[in-house]
């Protein structure tokens, strides 16, 4: 009995948050690096299904860098990076599309259905959602079909929302030339959150958040203001895979998103903790 009362208390405590969040959009970027196990993935998707059922509007964007590297290696194609960007020639692009738009995207959709939710998997090419411009590396080198998001057309997301579907988006863009472009998943999530004027943008990754010393989880920075970011970048506190995330957060905040978060996707129910408890988890980046 005591245990049941405790469970009821948890629900009552969550009630103000459920009310506050009803009808609000939350864009969740699911990092490839958090794909450590099917149970963790299931926990995350369970949270997303629950968010949908209590009236929120979750939108999922996923990455998949590691799966792409594995798939190209299998075919004997060596992954090449210039200034942190994957060189994407036509054969590589075909694999990228297969892995991101096919394998990973459909796995997430199928799992959401198995958990009682309703999802539609799509890439940024559908409905010309993510329009992309071809970019060069910082040093001016041609890196193939790598694009930067130039425009987001959210029409397809709005129509899915009307039918209560959870959109699951693979970060592929469509160029003016009609070609497919490899777009950074963090950037795609930030652009989509901005276009939807989302309430929150949440990055699920494999570390507790942004840490002052990368290897030391105890040095977690729980709040970062947008104006502190340039210094954190300059001093190298934020590096590697964290750079596109923080840039996406800044872009989203500038576009009217209220709060952005970088949290540990391997922590069970990290999303629920972030949204339905006053403490929150990880790092929040605020205006
Ligand atoms: N200050 C920092 N605090 C914590 N992690 C940091 C920091 N600076 C850089 N990092 C690195 O950023 C990584 C997270 O980005 P990464 O691109 O690897 O994952 P992801 O974006 O979640 O997954 P994917 O790129 O596959 O979609 C961490 O594992 C860590 O090594
Ligand atoms: Mg990354």
């Amino acid at each position: 009995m005591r245990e049941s009362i405790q469970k009821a208390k948890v629900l009552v405590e969550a009630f103000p948050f459920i009310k506050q969040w009803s009808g609000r959009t939350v864009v969740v970027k699911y990092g490839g690096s958090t794909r450590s196990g099917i149970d963790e993935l299931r926990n995350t998707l369970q949270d997303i299904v629950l968010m949908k059922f209590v009236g929120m509007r979750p939108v999922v964007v996923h990455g998949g860098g590691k799966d792409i590297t594995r798939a190209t290696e299998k075919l004997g194609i060596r992954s090449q990076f210039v200034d942190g960007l994957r060189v994407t020639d036509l054969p590589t692009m075909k694999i990228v599309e297969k892995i991101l738009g096919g394998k990973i995207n459909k796995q997430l959709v199928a799992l959401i259905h198995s958990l009682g939710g309703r999802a539609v998997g799509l890439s940024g090419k559908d409905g010309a959602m993510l329009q992309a411009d071809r970019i060069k590396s910082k040093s001016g080198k041609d890196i193939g079909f790598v694009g930067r998001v130039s425009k987001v057309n959210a029409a397809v997301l709005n129509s899915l929302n009307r039918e209560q579907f959870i959109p699951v988006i693979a970060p592929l863009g469509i160029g003016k030339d009609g070609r497919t472009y490899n777009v950074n998943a963090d950037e795609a999530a930030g652009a989509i959150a901005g276009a939807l004027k989302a309430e929150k943008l949440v990055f699920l990754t494999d570390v507790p958040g942004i840490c002052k010393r990368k290897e030391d989880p105890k040095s977690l920075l729980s709040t970062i203001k947008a104006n502190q970011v340039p210094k954190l970048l300059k001093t190298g506190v934020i590096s590697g895979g964290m750079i596109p995330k923080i840039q996406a957060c800044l872009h989203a905040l500038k576009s009217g998103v209220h709060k952005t978060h970088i949290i540990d996707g391997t922590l069970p129910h990290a999303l629920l903790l972030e949204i339905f408890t006053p403490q929150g988890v990880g790092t929040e980046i605020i205006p």
Side-chain angles (χ1 to χ4, degrees):
M1 189 63 174
R2 195 173 292 156
E3 204 178 299
S4 304
I5 292 172
Q6 198 50 43
K7 277 186 191 154
K9 271 193 185 150
V10 171
L11 280 173
V12 171
E13 265 168 34
F15 176 69
F17 295 97
I18 294 174
K19 206 169 145 203
Q20 180 193 343
W21 284 100
S22 180
R24 304 288 168 95
T25 302
V26 177
V27 174
V28 179
K29 190 265 178 159
Y30 182 71
S33 55
T34 57
R35 290 162 53 80
S36 40
I38 194 80
D39 291 337
E40 278 159 350
L41 175 55
R42 230 184 235 118
N43 276 339
T44 301
L45 297 177
Q46 182 78 76
D47 291 359
I48 288 167
V49 170
L50 192 143
M51 284 159 69
K52 185 74 181 173
F53 273 102
V54 298
M56 295 172 69
R57 181 186 174 185
V59 173
V60 181
V61 180
H62 61 82
K66 281 174 194 161
D67 292 74
I68 293 166
T69 302
R70 221 173 292 139
T72 47
E73 272 169 6
K74 238 188 220 168
L75 293 170
I77 303 173
R78 212 164 47 86
S79 297
Q80 238 187 299
F81 290 87
V82 176
D83 304 329
L85 297 168
R86 182 187 297 274
V87 178
T88 311
D89 56 7
L90 202 51
T92 306
M93 189 63 236
K94 284 186 179 154
I95 298 165
V96 169
E97 186 158 23
K98 230 188 247 173
I99 300 294
L100 282 180
K103 184 175 169 251
I104 299 176
N105 192 273
K106 300 314 161 201
Q107 184 195 17
L108 296 180
V109 168
L111 271 171
I112 289 176
H113 281 269
S114 77
L115 293 163
R118 296 201 312 147
V120 169
L122 64 173
S123 85
K125 284 163 73 179
D126 293 285
M129 189 202 324
L130 294 175
Q131 292 161 43
D133 283 342
R134 189 179 181 122
I135 56 166
K136 286 198 163 126
S137 80
K138 235 192 252 160
S139 46
K141 283 201 185 109
D142 178 59
I143 43 174
F145 296 101
V146 179
R148 175 173 300 131
V149 180
S150 55
K151 205 177 148 203
V152 177
N153 184 345
V156 66
L157 296 179
N158 292 328
S159 60
L160 288 177
N161 182 51
R162 277 193 292 278
E163 298 298 325
Q164 296 300 317
F165 285 108
I166 301 169
V168 178
I169 304 161
L172 299 168
I174 182 161
K176 285 195 192 86
D177 51 6
R179 294 217 184 229
T180 309
Y181 284 86
N182 187 6
V183 173
N184 179 282
D186 298 336
E187 185 193 336
I192 290 167
L196 292 175
K197 299 268 175 281
E199 191 68 28
K200 266 186 204 264
L201 165 64
V202 184
F203 288 94
L204 295 174
T205 188
D206 61 350
V207 285
I210 296 181
C211 301
K212 212 164 173 193
R213 291 171 302 280
K214 205 167 83 177
E215 311 302 331
D216 177 12
K218 283 202 200 93
S219 69
L220 176 75
L221 301 165
S222 22
T223 302
I224 294 177
K225 284 198 160 183
N227 65 11
Q228 296 175 291
V229 172
K231 195 176 167 198
L232 292 170
L233 284 168
K234 214 173 149 200
T235 50
V237 170
I238 297 173
S239 63
M242 219 32 107
I243 297 174
K245 268 185 249 304
I246 199 86
Q247 278 164 347
C249 290
L250 293 183
H251 170 86
L253 291 172
K254 253 190 226 144
S255 317
V257 174
H258 288 148
K259 265 184 163 194
T260 61
H261 304 262
I262 298 171
I263 67 176
D264 187 354
T266 65
L267 184 75
H269 305 297
L271 264 177
L272 295 188
L273 290 174
E274 176 46 53
I275 291 166
F276 296 115
T277 68
Q279 298 84 10
V281 286
T283 301
E284 58 171 13
I285 300 101
I286 55 173

